Amino acid sequence: MQFKNLLKVSLLALFCFFMVPAMAQNKTITGKVTDSKDGSPLIGASISAKGSTAGAITDINGAFKLTVPASTTTLVVSYIGYVSKDVLVTSDVVNVTLDANNNALNEVLVVGYGTVRKKDATGAVVKVNSADFVQGVTTDPLQQLQGKAAGVVVATTNGDPNGGLTVRIRGTVSLTGGNDPLYVIDGVEGADPRALSPNDVESFDILKDASSAAIYGSRAAGGVIMITTKQGKAGKAQVSFNTYVASESYEHLMDFANASQYLSMFQSFYGHPMATFNPASPSTTSNQGANTNWYKALLRTGLTHNENLSVAGGTDKSHYRASVTYTDQQGIALASERKDLNARFNFDQKTLDDKLLITMNLQATHTNANYTDGNAFSDAAFVPSVISEYDPLNPGHYQYINNTDETNPVPHLTDITNTGAINKMSGNLRLDYTLAKGLVISPFANGSLGNASYNLYLPPSNLLSAVNDQLNYTLNQTTVPGELLTDGDVDKSSTADYSVTYGIYANYKTTFGKSRLNLLGGYEGNQFNNTGLRVAAHNFNDITNYPNENIGAANLVTNKDINSYDNGFTLQSYFGRAEYNFNDKYYITGNVRYDYSNKLGLNNQSEVFPSVDAAWVVSNEDFLKQTTWLTSLKIRGGWGKVGDQSAISPYASQFLFGSTGNLYYDGATGTWLTSNFSTQNQNNDLKWETVTTVDLGVDFSLFQGRLTGNVDYYSKTTNNLLFDYTVPTGGQYFVGTILANVGTMTNKGFEFSLNGAIAKSKDFSWNLGANVSINRNKIVSLSGALNNTQFNVTQSQVGSTGGLGISGAVSQIGYLKVGYPIGTLLLPEYAGQDGSGKQLFYYNKNGSRQTTSNIGDLNMADDGTGDRRFYTTDPKFTYGISNNFTYKHFDLVIFLRGQYGSKGFNQNDMNFTSLQKLGTYAVLASAAKDHITSSSEPSSYFLESTSFLKVQNATLGYTFKLSENKYIDKLHIYVAGNNLYTFTSYKGIDAELTTAGGQTGIDQAIAYPRTRELSFGVNLTLK
């Protein structure tokens, strides 16, 4: 018994002898892993003891608990998307902060129906992150792309808050289509970016070449812009509030002669003073003793304010983000304004053991708009400064001006009611279910709904002339007195549109050996519909106090006053993609899409759009692995074909029969009836325009990513160009024109982008980015055949000057010409002035080159035999330069953009330079120096350089350090200026002319001036 007890004690002692040292060799470490930038917990971060197999993963709060050998001195902490860190163990509590991995090569690009790492991309895709966005007044998300990406040109047509943007990716691809890219917001194709708050945007991914955009087939000819909105992160709820207030003023106005200059020029030119105003015989062609700046009479200092509130958060299973934004932008023109209320909700949830991911997005926008009458700005340019805004015989009342075609411009902004109310809603739902390892199946559905109502009201007044409404309808001057002396006019319209997209796709990813394979295939269906109704009425007895209440009380409604439409079409598609990568060195990607649409001709309702591209990561080859300064070098190339359906409206291929707008007398009933006849020819061969692109590029990263960039060459060919051709009537054609696929056009160019960290230290950093784009557009052919009808066309006149007193062939200056780019102008060649100040022009007389002051002496033929010359207006290159500085808590951004080598026809200079205009119209202050005594005629004299450099944005900000504050996580304040200054020799209002339609290269911008904005803003994030 004693032996057994002794044995037990001995065994216990032996156990303790071995266990105590073992226990003493382990220790427990606790801590937390967070984001170094915002302090948010990193859920699922990996922590391991260096030299040991011990490891742990952080929980929902970013916390971990890890038992490690007592000898452990270093922990290895890693997290996807962050830079791994070795942390010394100095105590039992180790808190770690990780830096986001800013290596551009690991950046994720959003492509059609998926994503790809930048280093794995084979197409020409460029990303613009929210970190690259400028601060200040931004009411349209697309403004953030201005000058940021090579090959992407974003231009505003004017400063109207209700105006839009034009976006061109690698040039113009269609003569009749919209040329706009396809916008895809969180997977919703064809979404409206203007309905999205700029505060909700996380990034833009621009698919520039056909090889990357072919997955979208017939909708991608203008390129594709993928817009990704901000999502919630795992962790506690994060509340953010962003706001700014801004003042807006005009950037530049044309310099018209003031009263002193005007009277001096009048005296010098006519040899006698201008007649003074006589109350007994009032005239608006006399000197009224005024000094009116008519442009400034229409303008004010605009005030804009924006408020954005968002709440975001989530767990390791779900994420959410909700935001609401309100913007009130008061334009600088009297009465112009736009108010937007925007709300968005993003949500995703994992379920079924993480096999199913549910993603949902909802978006709603309400807009109230006050529109301006663009004719007011034309009148402001026409009326001389010596004419008073107010009636000299009735002070306090606007003056009725009747000396020329123009009227007093101010009442056109103050007295006319022109409003719109616009509502837009959209949503999408996607289910990603992991069916097997590497195989995910994704059914989805998207929908959008919009409606709008517009009201135009002209009160009884002798100050107003007819204006165009939102549907470009002009009041009939023969049945409705233009001055609206006693009766008012009303024009009301409403529109509604909806679209539904549904489909399913499957994605399979696998690896074998050194190979990675990614396969995608799916189906998508689209239904589009839009309707509209418009009613106008005239000659109300008295609607001064009831401007839009009872249209039935009108005394006159014509057959042109009522209009309605109901259009729709479908688009059915199958698509697929295969991506193969061997050893992270050799990549090949193929895309294909089959599209069928019922809005095309019966013979061409479907098309296949394929693409293929490949890449070679040269830097991963053994012979370059020891090159320490070269981080990455990739050579890529691709070919693809995409289509353009924007140029074809529903029913454009069908024979249409409808009202001609004319009346005929029915003798049987003794009444006038509306006549009906064919309004459109049938074209069963109508099909999509197709754009084929070849792209070759090089991407590089040097010095551990401190210097990155790319170079691209592309060649785009648009075949089956759509254009309206003249056809003979009486045989197979009932109408004199037909929309047909005939021509060919090319765009070729180079793109260069470079980004570098010029300086980087603890307190100071400087990052510089620059891009240059060169694009050469050329019309190759406008000829072809349809139904045995030959179209032998070498050029077509599409644009004119519309100048004062200018008409006939000399005014027809805008041309589409084979061998030349869009924006080609045909102008008389300026030869100087004679001794009396008359303009001279070169012309051919009896085989010799001579000059004449009579424009009628010129041969105006446009076939190359005449005396006019063709001039091109497109720029040699466009560019953007961004500078980002930080010093301690200060940040400074300076962003520049511009173009070089472009030209533009300054119609405004032509209209207001001739001294012959004195006494009737306004003239520019420079007219005295120019001393043109003859009428101003279109010529190369008014073709000016439109090269410019814009200081697009400058922002100075300060971030407060609030680590000890219990409630505020981040507080950033800033002052910003947008469109601060333009360096240019151009004498017009703005050197950035329109790039749309036949008026390309012609400055007709007697319109809403572009604005300069100065703002103060606050970005606040709560803990």
Side-chain angles (χ1 to χ4, degrees):
M1 185 70 179
Q2 291 180 344
F3 176 78
K4 290 183 178 180
N5 291 335
L6 180 61
L7 182 60
K8 290 179 180 180
V9 172
S10 298
L11 290 173
L12 178 62
L14 187 63
F15 177 80
C16 292
F17 177 82
F18 286 102
M19 285 300 299
V20 169
M23 293 174 64
Q25 289 176 5
N26 292 334
K27 60 183 177 181
T28 300
I29 298 174
T30 60
K32 192 174 183 179
V33 181
T34 58
D35 185 299
S36 63
K37 186 175 181 181
D38 59 18
S40 60
L42 299 182
I43 302 169
S46 174
I47 301 95
S48 62
K50 202 166 190 178
S52 169
T53 58
I57 294 177
T58 57
D59 62 17
I60 191 173
N61 299 311
F64 68 90
K65 184 178 181 180
L66 176 65
T67 300
V68 299
S71 59
T72 299
T73 59
T74 305
L75 297 181
V76 179
V77 184
S78 62
Y79 189 66
I80 296 175
Y82 286 74
V83 179
S84 299
K85 182 183 289 187
D86 289 355
V87 183
L88 293 177
V89 178
T90 58
S91 69
D92 293 336
V93 178
V94 178
N95 293 319
V96 184
T97 60
L98 294 184
D99 297 320
N101 190 346
N102 293 319
N103 188 339
L105 298 177
N106 290 319
E107 191 173 53
V108 175
L109 304 176
V110 179
V111 294
Y113 308 98
T115 61
V116 63
R117 291 183 303 175
K118 185 174 182 178
K119 70 178 184 179
D120 297 333
T122 53
V125 183
V126 62
K127 191 180 195 73
V128 178
N129 285 301
S130 57
D132 302 317
F133 294 175
V134 298
Q135 301 274 19
V137 178
T138 305
T139 56
D140 188 322
L142 297 178
Q143 291 174 275
Q144 296 290 5
L145 291 180
Q146 287 185 314
K148 299 289 179 59
V152 182
V153 177
V154 180
T156 55
T157 55
N158 54 54
D160 192 339
N162 296 296
L165 299 170
T166 59
V167 179
R168 296 290 179 269
I169 298 177
R170 292 182 167 180
T172 299
V173 296
S174 175
L175 299 179
T176 57
N179 285 290
D180 293 319
L182 171 69
Y183 300 104
V184 182
I185 301 178
D186 288 339
V188 180
E189 302 165 32
D192 180 11
R194 186 70 190 264
L196 183 66
S197 168
N199 294 285
D200 291 334
V201 176
E202 178 65 31
S203 65
F204 297 94
D205 292 90
I206 306 166
L207 316 185
K208 296 193 291 185
D209 65 334
S211 61
S212 59
I215 196 74
Y216 288 109
S218 64
R219 308 175 72 181
V224 180
I225 296 181
M226 314 289 293
I227 303 177
T228 303
T229 63
K230 295 176 181 177
Q231 309 293 320
K233 296 180 180 179
K236 63 180 182 181
Q238 187 177 73
V239 179
S240 298
F241 178 71
N242 304 291
T243 183
Y244 65 78
V245 61
S247 66
E248 299 187 31
S249 58
Y250 61 84
E251 186 207 1
H252 178 69
L253 297 177
M254 294 185 67
D255 185 18
F256 284 94
N258 60 31
S260 175
Q261 295 167 328
Y262 194 90
L263 294 173
S264 175
M265 282 187 274
F266 188 99
Q267 172 76 49
S268 176
F269 182 67
Y270 290 110
H272 61 80
M274 188 176 187
T276 58
F277 180 76
N278 182 1
S281 179
S283 171
T284 52
T285 58
S286 59
N287 174 19
Q288 297 183 350
N291 186 20
T292 307
N293 186 317
W294 285 100
Y295 252 120
K296 291 184 178 180
L298 300 178
L299 304 177
R300 63 188 175 187
T301 299
L303 180 66
T304 297
H305 63 91
N306 170 279
E307 293 79 36
N308 167 257
L309 177 67
S310 66
V311 180
T315 67
D316 59 336
K317 300 286 186 180
S318 65
H319 309 90
Y320 66 89
R321 185 179 187 274
S323 70
V324 61
T325 304
Y326 178 71
T327 304
D328 185 346
Q329 186 177 15
Q330 184 187 72
I332 63 171
L334 300 176
S336 65
E337 191 169 17
R338 183 183 178 98
K339 298 178 180 179
D340 290 297
L341 178 62
N342 176 286
R344 186 171 183 86
F345 178 67
N346 294 341
F347 175 78
D348 64 79
Q349 172 73 54
K350 289 182 179 179
T351 186
L352 300 180
D353 296 326
D354 293 348
K355 288 186 177 181
L356 177 63
L357 174 62
I358 304 170
T359 303
M360 180 180 68
N361 303 297
L362 297 173
Q363 169 84 38
T365 302
H366 174 72
T367 300
N368 285 324
N370 287 340
Y371 301 101
T372 57
D373 174 17
N375 292 334
F377 294 99
S378 299
D379 291 338
F382 294 159
V383 185
S385 56
V386 295
I387 304 300
S388 174
E389 178 181 349
Y390 297 97
D391 191 339
L393 301 180
N394 193 6
H397 292 76
Y398 291 122
Q399 179 175 199
Y400 170 58
I401 299 174
N402 63 349
N403 58 308
T404 56
D405 293 333
E406 78 275 0
T407 60
N408 191 329
V410 181
H412 277 264
L413 298 187
T414 60
D415 293 2
I416 293 176
T417 299
N418 193 352
T419 62
I422 307 163
N423 298 294
K424 295 182 180 181
M425 294 184 64
S426 65
N428 67 300
L429 175 67
R430 189 181 76 243
L431 307 177
D432 298 311
Y433 183 75
T434 303
L435 203 61
K437 183 180 179 180
L439 177 61
V440 178
I441 187 169
S442 303
F444 63 92
N446 311 323
S448 66
L449 176 67
N451 61 75
S453 61
Y454 303 98
N455 293 288
L456 176 66
Y457 164 57
L458 285 76
S461 173
N462 70 335
L463 300 172
L464 303 176
S465 60
V467 298
N468 290 338
D469 69 2
Q470 302 304 307
L471 298 177
N472 296 319
Y473 168 79
T474 303
L475 299 178
N476 189 330
Q477 295 293 309
T478 60
T479 59
V480 183
E483 306 306 332
L484 307 170
L485 294 177
T486 59
D487 306 309
D489 293 297
V490 168
D491 197 311
K492 297 172 70 71
S493 63
S494 62
T495 63
D497 62 84
Y498 72 84
S499 65
V500 177
T501 302
Y502 51 89
I504 186 171
Y505 60 89
N507 194 358
Y508 177 68
K509 296 181 180 180
T510 187
T511 60
F512 47 95
K514 295 182 178 180
S515 298
R516 284 192 285 121
L517 180 65
N518 186 358
L519 300 176
L520 173 79
Y523 163 80
E524 181 180 279
N526 293 271
Q527 172 70 50
F528 305 92
N529 187 264
N530 57 85
T531 63
L533 173 67
R534 178 192 154 273
V535 178
H538 319 287
N539 291 5
F540 290 81
N541 291 329
D542 182 8
I543 59 170
T544 304
N545 298 319
Y546 305 96
N548 292 301
E549 299 303 321
N550 185 12
I551 251 185
N555 293 315
L556 176 63
V557 177
T558 73
N559 64 320
K560 294 183 178 181
D561 290 325
I562 301 175
N563 180 45
S564 66
Y565 61 89
D566 188 345
N567 297 326
F569 68 97
T570 62
L571 179 67
Q572 308 293 324
S573 308
Y574 296 91
F575 56 88
R577 178 170 58 226
E579 300 171 286
Y580 175 73
N581 164 12
F582 178 75
N583 201 24
D584 287 339
K585 293 181 183 179
Y586 314 110
Y587 298 80
I588 186 168
T589 302
N591 292 280
V592 64
R593 186 178 181 112
Y594 168 85
D595 278 344
Y596 166 85
S597 177
N598 62 356
K599 71 175 182 178
L600 301 177
L602 292 175
N603 299 331
N604 291 299
Q605 292 191 324
S606 63
E607 183 89 28
V608 176
F609 301 95
S611 75
V612 62
D613 43 16
W616 174 29
V617 182
V618 187
S619 55
N620 283 350
E621 297 290 353
D622 292 339
F623 60 83
L624 282 179
K625 282 190 175 181
Q626 301 304 316
T627 309
T628 58
W629 56 269
L630 179 63
T631 307
S632 175
L633 176 63
K634 179 169 66 177
I635 300 173
R636 51 182 168 76
W639 171 92
K641 184 172 78 168
V642 291
D644 185 4
Q645 62 169 298
S646 63
I648 304 175
S649 60
Y651 321 121
S653 67
Q654 301 180 23
F655 175 79
L656 298 183
F657 189 82
S659 171
T660 63
N662 297 318
L663 301 178
Y664 72 94
Y665 184 74
D666 184 357
T669 61
T671 58
W672 290 91
L673 301 177
T674 300
S675 63
N676 292 280
F677 195 67
S678 50
T679 59
Q680 178 179 282
N681 290 310
Q682 184 174 356
N683 183 358
N684 288 333
D685 293 321
L686 192 67
K687 57 185 176 181
W688 285 302
E689 297 175 322
T690 57
V691 178
T692 303
T693 301
V694 174
D695 186 280
L696 300 173
V698 177
D699 302 329
F700 60 87
S701 176
L702 311 177
F703 312 115
Q704 300 302 311
R706 189 159 182 171
L707 182 65
T708 62
N710 57 69
V711 180
D712 275 86
Y713 166 79
Y714 62 88
S715 176
K716 299 170 61 174
T717 301
T718 305
N719 292 306
N720 305 316
L721 270 175
L722 286 161
F723 200 63
D724 285 308
Y725 287 89
T726 301
V727 291
T729 58
Q732 59 179 320
Y733 301 114
F734 294 89
V735 183
T737 61
I738 191 170
L739 181 65
N741 301 90
V742 176
T744 302
M745 180 169 58
T746 62
N747 285 276
K748 299 179 180 181
F750 289 92
E751 297 168 351
F752 308 89
S753 295
L754 195 64
N755 295 278
I758 306 301
K760 188 175 183 180
S761 65
K762 178 182 178 182
D763 292 331
F764 177 75
S765 69
W766 174 20
N767 294 316
L768 174 66
N771 65 78
V772 177
S773 305
I774 301 170
N775 184 74
R776 296 291 178 265
N777 171 272
K778 184 170 71 172
I779 298 173
V780 177
S781 172
L782 292 173
S783 299
L786 175 69
N787 297 333
N788 298 318
T789 301
Q790 293 293 323
F791 303 118
N792 297 313
V793 180
T794 59
Q795 63 191 38
S796 177
Q797 189 270 319
V798 291
S800 60
T801 66
L804 289 171
I806 307 296
S807 61
V810 72
S811 69
Q812 300 169 357
I813 66 173
Y815 277 78
L816 298 175
K817 183 174 176 61
V818 172
Y820 286 76
I822 292 175
T824 294
L825 305 181
L826 181 61
L827 297 167
E829 190 177 358
Y830 180 70
Q833 292 179 325
D834 65 13
S836 64
K838 294 180 179 179
Q839 288 187 313
L840 299 175
F841 312 97
Y842 288 110
Y843 78 118
N844 190 323
K845 183 177 181 180
N846 299 325
S848 65
R849 182 177 168 88
Q850 298 186 23
T851 63
T852 179
S853 61
N854 181 10
I855 196 73
D857 291 341
L858 274 65
N859 179 353
M860 291 296 172
D862 60 6
D863 58 0
T865 64
D867 292 316
R868 294 184 293 171
R869 285 184 53 196
F870 285 102
Y871 297 86
T872 61
T873 61
D874 52 335
K876 287 183 168 58
F877 61 85
T878 60
Y879 59 93
I881 303 171
S882 61
N883 288 275
N884 293 268
F885 304 90
T886 63
Y887 177 70
K888 294 186 176 180
H889 299 301
F890 288 95
D891 56 270
L892 174 65
V893 176
I894 301 174
F895 176 57
L896 314 171
R897 68 180 182 90
Q899 65 184 29
Y900 176 77
S902 56
K903 295 183 183 297
F905 183 80
N906 192 341
Q907 177 178 299
N908 301 324
D909 200 28
M910 178 189 69
N911 278 340
F912 306 110
T913 299
S914 170
L915 296 175
Q916 287 188 5
K917 301 290 197 307
L918 289 165
T920 304
Y921 296 103
V923 297
L924 295 168
S926 59
K929 179 181 178 181
D930 294 336
H931 194 65
I932 298 175
T933 58
S934 57
S935 61
S936 296
E937 302 288 352
S939 74
S940 59
Y941 176 78
F942 299 108
L943 188 65
E944 302 179 24
S945 168
T946 53
S947 299
F948 67 83
L949 169 62
K950 283 182 179 288
V951 183
Q952 186 65 39
N953 176 270
T955 303
L956 176 63
Y958 183 84
T959 301
F960 292 89
K961 188 174 182 180
L962 299 167
S963 57
E964 303 301 323
N965 192 286
K966 293 174 58 178
Y967 306 106
I968 301 176
D969 183 58
K970 179 183 177 182
L971 176 60
H972 179 258
I973 62 173
Y974 64 88
V975 291
N978 289 349
N979 201 28
L980 288 173
Y981 192 79
T982 302
F983 297 92
T984 183
S985 62
Y986 186 63
K987 293 186 290 186
I989 292 180
D990 196 295
E992 191 170 16
L993 306 185
T994 179
T995 57
Q999 297 302 117
T1000 299
I1002 304 174
D1003 185 3
Q1004 294 183 314
I1006 308 178
Y1008 204 121
R1010 284 189 172 94
T1011 58
R1012 175 188 292 120
E1013 299 104 7
L1014 300 175
S1015 59
F1016 170 78
V1018 177
N1019 307 126
L1020 175 67
T1021 303
L1022 303 180
K1023 289 183 177 178

